Amino acid sequence: MNTFFHVTDIGDLQAALSEAQAVKSNRYGFQHLGKNKTLLMIFFNNSLRTRLSTQKAAMNLGMNVIVLDVNAGAWKLETERGVIMDGDKSEHLLEAIPVMGSYCDIIAVRSFAGLTDREYDYAETVVNQFVRYSGRPVVAMETATVHPLQAFADLITIHEHKRNPRPKVVLTWAPHCRALPQAVPNSFAQWMNAADVDLVITHPEGYELDPLFTGDAIVEYDQRKALEGADFVYAKNWSCPGVTRPEAYGQILSHDKSWTIDTEHMSWTNDGWFMHCLPVRRGLIVTDEVIESPHSLVIPEAANREISAQVVLKRVLESL
């Protein structure tokens, strides 16, 4: 595996889930793979779970780890071609990327969407330059459009807690005070479509995700109807994806707090589990009562980020 961006990169999901359980039961059993190998983790944006879990996963595999915060401790990087660099950006990605590649064996990159130019974001302009110019395998630690390490961890969590062979999983939009990217819901929808679950996506009109990720998932605009009988409720905010309203890409179209997941919402489910990728805005996405309830999976879900990252890095190392 030379790149990890989409569910298709992981191959057979049942095999990946079985491997995740094997890794979870023996986290240090594969250190021979990472001996004298270096992971370079590059962050264009802030991180907590992704930073800690990916670094821990690499250490479990016996790897050396270098962490670079592009906006704190490195030269500011220019990402556009054909510009006159007479501003505050001292180095271009086209020089920086091959230099980075010369210091490591695997590169992991985190770079968010700008939410102003849909074409630029959905072309994955920044991370694709790493794929093209680094000469190293590239792992997405969240990009402008996808967050596969999170979605893989979500799937592991659902697999561990499902009570029937094909659970109903609902991805529900929830309000937020800031415009957020679509990477998490995009990947969640993509991975759930590939898994053995019944996926329903619910959101106000105008928040339709790109069909590239939603596939044949059911879209239900009535949140209560969508949540009825749900085994898992995955709450997440995202800004307008610009599918049905291109002029509104990246904007907040609704602040409707009736979409906030509270105990009444969860009562419509099949004694369902609550999930969220974290960090979460309490009182906007979810109430205290729900996120602190015995049916909240946010902590086990976050813990599984270590496992998803380790499976991915293990497979990349095996392909070197």
Side-chain angles (χ1 to χ4, degrees):
M1 186 165 65
N2 288 321
T3 59
F4 179 69
F5 289 84
H6 302 288
V7 66
T8 51
D9 295 326
I10 203 71
D12 181 81
L13 280 184
Q14 287 304 314
L17 288 169
S18 296
E19 189 170 349
Q21 295 308 310
V23 164
K24 198 168 188 175
S25 63
N26 186 19
R27 298 174 199 234
Y28 307 105
F30 308 94
Q31 292 194 346
H32 62 284
L33 294 172
K35 184 178 180 180
N36 297 328
K37 296 292 192 297
T38 298
L39 172 68
L40 173 58
M41 299 169 57
I42 303 167
F43 291 89
F44 288 85
N45 303 90
N46 294 335
S47 174
L48 189 151
R49 277 149 296 278
T50 297
R51 179 188 297 259
L52 297 179
S53 62
T54 308
Q55 186 167 355
K56 179 63 162 58
M59 293 167 64
N60 291 349
L61 291 165
M63 298 188 74
N64 303 311
V65 181
I66 302 172
V67 180
L68 176 66
D69 289 294
V70 170
N71 296 317
W75 299 114
K76 290 187 177 181
L77 295 177
E78 179 59 64
T79 61
E80 298 285 349
R81 282 181 170 273
V83 298
I84 297 174
M85 293 175 57
D86 57 358
D88 64 342
K89 296 177 180 178
S90 304
E91 187 162 7
H92 202 287
L93 270 184
L94 293 178
E95 287 79 59
I97 289 173
V99 169
M100 294 174 188
S102 70
Y103 301 145
C104 66
D105 300 281
I106 302 172
I107 294 179
V109 184
R110 182 178 178 94
S111 178
F112 290 174
L115 295 180
T116 58
D117 184 336
R118 189 181 195 279
E119 183 178 354
Y120 181 91
D121 288 343
Y122 274 71
E124 292 291 7
T125 305
V126 173
V127 294
N128 277 334
Q129 292 185 70
F130 282 90
V131 175
R132 184 173 181 180
Y133 298 114
S134 70
R136 302 299 182 194
V138 177
V139 173
M141 297 190 298
E142 189 167 2
T143 72
T145 66
V146 293
H147 197 348
L149 290 174
Q150 179 64 55
F152 187 15
D154 297 334
L155 181 59
I156 294 169
T157 307
I158 289 172
H159 181 72
E160 291 175 335
H161 291 85
K162 65 182 182 180
R163 296 183 290 253
N164 57 71
R166 190 175 176 88
K168 178 180 179 180
V169 178
V170 177
L171 169 62
T172 178
W173 177 91
H176 202 282
C177 55
R178 296 179 58 197
L180 300 183
Q182 299 100 46
V184 169
N186 280 346
S187 279
F188 185 79
Q190 185 184 62
W191 283 67
M192 292 304 112
N193 273 325
D196 194 18
V197 307
D198 291 324
L199 174 65
V200 178
I201 303 173
T202 184
H203 53 71
E205 292 190 15
Y207 282 98
E208 292 79 7
L209 295 167
D210 194 310
L212 175 68
F213 302 104
T214 59
D216 296 326
I218 296 172
V219 176
E220 173 56 63
Y221 295 100
D222 185 327
Q223 190 189 32
R224 177 165 186 161
K225 184 176 180 181
L227 291 174
E228 288 176 353
D231 298 295
F232 295 88
V233 176
Y234 198 101
K236 184 68 180 77
N237 174 268
W238 62 90
S239 61
C240 176
V243 174
T244 59
R245 295 185 56 181
E247 78 286 354
Y249 173 66
Q251 296 180 16
I252 297 174
L253 303 180
S254 174
H255 293 278
D256 187 354
K257 288 190 177 181
S258 70
W259 285 77
T260 300
I261 301 299
D262 58 17
T263 53
E264 181 181 0
H265 287 73
M266 295 302 294
S267 72
W268 305 333
T269 71
N270 181 30
D271 201 25
W273 298 99
F274 175 79
M275 300 179 70
H276 188 277
C277 61
L278 302 180
V280 65
R281 299 268 184 155
R282 292 186 179 214
L284 288 176
I285 302 292
V286 62
T287 61
D288 291 346
E289 292 77 13
V290 171
I291 198 170
E292 295 177 13
S293 77
H295 277 192
S296 172
L297 294 178
V298 296
I299 303 305
E301 187 182 355
N304 276 331
R305 289 293 308 278
E306 176 187 346
I307 306 306
S308 66
Q310 188 165 341
V311 171
V312 169
L313 292 174
K314 174 177 174 290
R315 291 191 172 193
V316 176
L317 287 168
E318 289 170 339
S319 69
L320 293 178

